[in-house]
Amino acid sequence: MNTYEWAPLRVVPRVDRGECVNVGVLLYCRHAVVLTMRLALDVERLSTLFADLDVDEVATAVRAWPRVVAGEGPAGALSPGERFRWLTAPRSTVVQAGPVHTGLTSDPEAEADRLLSRLV
């Protein structure tokens, strides 16, 4: 079993209110050298819950996260752990990572799937 860290990826339409909808999960396992994420972006749900939200803009922002996870662009200079820390750093933006949690797993990819189905 390896320790891993994970955080929900969430949309926070009004940062001042703190209301959010989970749209994915990030998972980092240092021992297995795995940084992965899963997305389940439901734009229809976001439109229904937050009528004033520009869901196309939010969808574009959410879909940029997997590129950073994969190390594309300038993020490629960072290690998987550094990318995870950068992505989970606190920020006041509409798309942000939630708090980081830890766990144990023998299969980080399967754990990411399990977290997605449980949280999103």
Side-chain angles (χ1 to χ4, degrees):
M1 298 290 273
N2 292 316
T3 58
Y4 69 91
E5 299 172 82
W6 68 274
L9 180 63
R10 58 192 187 180
V11 172
V12 186
R14 292 216 18 222
V15 176
D16 57 328
R17 291 180 59 127
E19 298 168 339
C20 65
V21 173
N22 290 343
V23 296
V25 293
L26 295 157
L27 184 141
Y28 171 61
C29 182
R30 182 175 62 93
H31 299 290
V33 193
V34 171
L35 175 59
T36 191
M37 77 177 304
R38 301 292 188 275
L39 290 178
L41 179 62
D42 186 341
V43 293
E44 190 173 314
R45 179 177 181 213
L46 287 173
S47 295
T48 300
L49 292 172
F50 307 102
D52 295 338
L53 185 65
D54 183 342
V55 292
D56 292 332
E57 188 173 316
V58 168
T60 298
V62 167
R63 291 184 182 118
W65 284 62
R67 292 194 304 271
V68 176
V69 168
E72 293 179 17
L78 303 173
S79 70
E82 291 170 322
R83 290 194 306 271
F84 181 78
R85 300 278 173 257
W86 184 78
L87 288 166
T88 58
R91 53 184 50 111
S92 294
T93 59
V94 173
V95 179
Q96 58 182 256
V100 175
H101 305 277
T102 60
L104 291 171
T105 187
S106 59
D107 187 345
E109 296 291 343
E111 188 66 18
D113 292 335
R114 187 188 71 77
L115 288 167
L116 181 72
S117 69
R118 197 177 99 209
L119 299 171
V120 179

